[in-house]
Amino acid sequence: MLSMLRHRTTVIWLLLVFATAGSWVLGSENRGTALMLVAFIKVRLVGLHFMELRAAPLALRTLFEAYVVLVFTVVIVMYARAP
């Protein structure tokens, strides 16, 4: 078991599992903004570690990071303005 935790992929996967469980708790308490933050953190983790953008050229990684921040900002603004 400890040998599995030495692999970055396993650790990131466990973080994603815990974030999913945390999303379930946040969703049941009607905390929309925090729930969306967790979702976008998960998107970033998947993109960087499972889509290999962590080792991508700087321009591609910067584009991905900017995309995540931009979409998160747009979604939060739209959520805040919803009736």
Side-chain angles (χ1 to χ4, degrees), residues 57-80:
L58 184 59
L60 183 59
R61 181 174 175 171
T62 304
L63 186 63
F64 172 72
E65 298 276 5
Y67 170 78
V68 171
V69 169
L70 178 69
V71 172
F72 174 71
T73 304
V74 169
V75 169
I76 291 297
V77 168
M78 290 175 62
Y79 180 76

Side-chain angles (χ1 to χ4, degrees), residues 18-39 41-42 79:
F18 287 123
T20 300
S23 297
W24 181 73
V25 171
L26 291 171
S28 65
E29 295 178 3
N30 278 338
R31 299 198 174 168
T33 304
L35 183 64
M36 286 184 259
L37 177 63
V38 171
I41 289 171
K42 288 171 57 177
Y79 180 76

Side-chain angles (χ1 to χ4, degrees), residues 10-55:
T10 306
V11 173
I12 298 299
W13 179 80
L14 285 172
L15 283 172
L16 290 169
V17 169
F18 287 123
T20 300
S23 297
W24 181 73
V25 171
L26 291 171
S28 65
E29 295 178 3
N30 278 338
R31 299 198 174 168
T33 304
L35 183 64
M36 286 184 259
L37 177 63
V38 171
F40 280 98
I41 289 171
K42 288 171 57 177
V43 166
R44 186 174 179 274
L45 286 173
V46 168
L48 291 177
H49 298 283
F50 293 102
M51 296 174 67
E52 300 297 330
L53 290 172
R54 185 173 44 90

